[in-house]
Amino acid sequence: MIQTVQETGSTNADLAARLHRGEVVAEGDWLVAERQTAGRGRQGRTWFDGYGNFMGSTVVRLVPGDPPATSLALLCGLVLHEVVAPLVPAPAVALLKWPNDVMIGQAKLAGILLERVGDSVIVGIGVNLAHAPEVAGRETIALSAFGPAPDRDHFARNLAIQFAQELERWRSFGIELLVRRWQAAAHAQGTALAVGEPGEVPVYGQFAGLTPDGALQLRFADGTTQVIHAGEVRLAEGS
């Protein structure tokens, strides 16, 4: 079920409030907003709420036997890539950047925010269908750059279907298949990356694939490799 509201502060916050009240939020249900007044991204950034864009959240109810919850970050990126890639005409191409950014060239198309509430993970997704925000120091893009913006409701239905399919694969086959499929949708190994939170001096290296548990491998000029479990990753200049 997809519930659409005209305006709310944040679809993630709304689902979190429902969970804290003990309400049942079923997997497969989505809350989609025409407009968010307090949308959030990573590091507490404000999320752009342009009309015509997709802004929605769903819940994953963790159960015994599930793969590690941290791997949901990769799953969400793969879901979004599978929905978006057919909408990007050649020669442009949508590629994944760790852990779940969908990029077209150097420009970011979407944002994903995962938040844990008890035994549930709230998944918030924002996609630039019609409008791309202006973000200092970042390139952004909307699918409208390639033609008419996709219909938001049609996009939401496709996203919900793909999410349910990938969640079933995740539970059935674990993260080995997920990691392989994620890497196949990512930028090439050897792509120059910069890793570091805002305000930190970034570490520069080359993408060297993922570890079996989905962590980023960063290769340096001397041939050594560092495993990155958390951090902000950017495509470095010249990549």
Side-chain angles (χ1 to χ4, degrees):
M1 180 185 74
I2 300 175
Q3 177 190 4
T4 302
V5 296
Q6 286 297 113
E7 182 176 308
T8 189
S10 159
T11 54
N12 263 34
D14 289 350
L15 292 189
R18 294 181 189 181
L19 292 173
H20 284 302
R21 289 195 298 265
E23 296 181 23
V24 175
V25 181
E27 279 192 353
D29 287 357
W30 285 78
L31 178 62
V32 176
E34 296 278 359
R35 182 170 184 264
Q36 288 189 141
T37 58
R40 292 168 294 122
R42 192 174 179 275
Q43 296 289 333
R45 298 184 182 97
T46 300
W47 179 256
F48 178 71
D49 69 339
Y51 283 106
N53 287 350
F54 174 84
M55 293 160 283
S57 301
T58 190
V59 166
V60 176
R61 309 302 295 259
L62 301 175
V63 298
D66 278 350
T70 52
S71 61
L72 285 170
L74 298 180
L75 181 144
C76 293
L78 184 62
V79 167
L80 197 50
H81 178 271
E82 294 297 292
V83 176
V84 164
L87 304 177
V88 180
V93 61
L95 295 172
L96 284 172
K97 175 173 67 67
W98 189 87
N100 51 31
D101 280 337
V102 178
M103 309 291 293
I104 300 176
Q106 294 276 344
K108 184 174 178 177
L109 178 69
I112 297 174
L113 178 65
L114 280 69
E115 298 180 293
R116 182 78 176 258
V117 177
D119 291 330
S120 297
V121 176
I122 301 170
V123 177
I125 297 178
V127 186
N128 302 330
L129 301 181
H131 309 283
E134 293 184 6
V135 179
R138 296 288 186 89
E139 290 186 46
T140 59
I141 195 169
L143 289 174
S144 59
F146 306 104
D151 176 76
R152 198 279 314 280
D153 292 340
H154 182 70
F155 183 90
R157 289 191 293 271
N158 287 344
L159 183 65
I161 291 169
Q162 189 70 39
F163 195 94
Q165 291 175 345
E166 296 298 347
L167 199 60
E168 182 178 357
R169 289 191 183 104
W170 178 72
R171 289 192 165 121
S172 298
F173 302 107
I175 64 173
E176 181 180 354
L177 176 63
L178 172 62
V179 167
R180 289 206 309 269
R181 293 180 61 221
W182 191 98
Q183 290 186 121
H187 47 72
Q189 293 205 26
T191 298
L193 300 177
V195 181
E197 299 294 355
E200 295 180 351
V201 176
V203 175
Y204 293 92
Q206 293 182 333
F207 177 58
L210 305 184
T211 64
D213 64 353
L216 172 68
Q217 297 186 98
L218 194 66
R219 181 175 295 117
F220 302 116
D222 62 3
T224 61
T225 301
Q226 180 178 345
V227 175
I228 307 293
H229 293 281
E232 183 155 320
V233 179
R234 299 193 188 192
L235 297 177
E237 300 245 347
S239 61

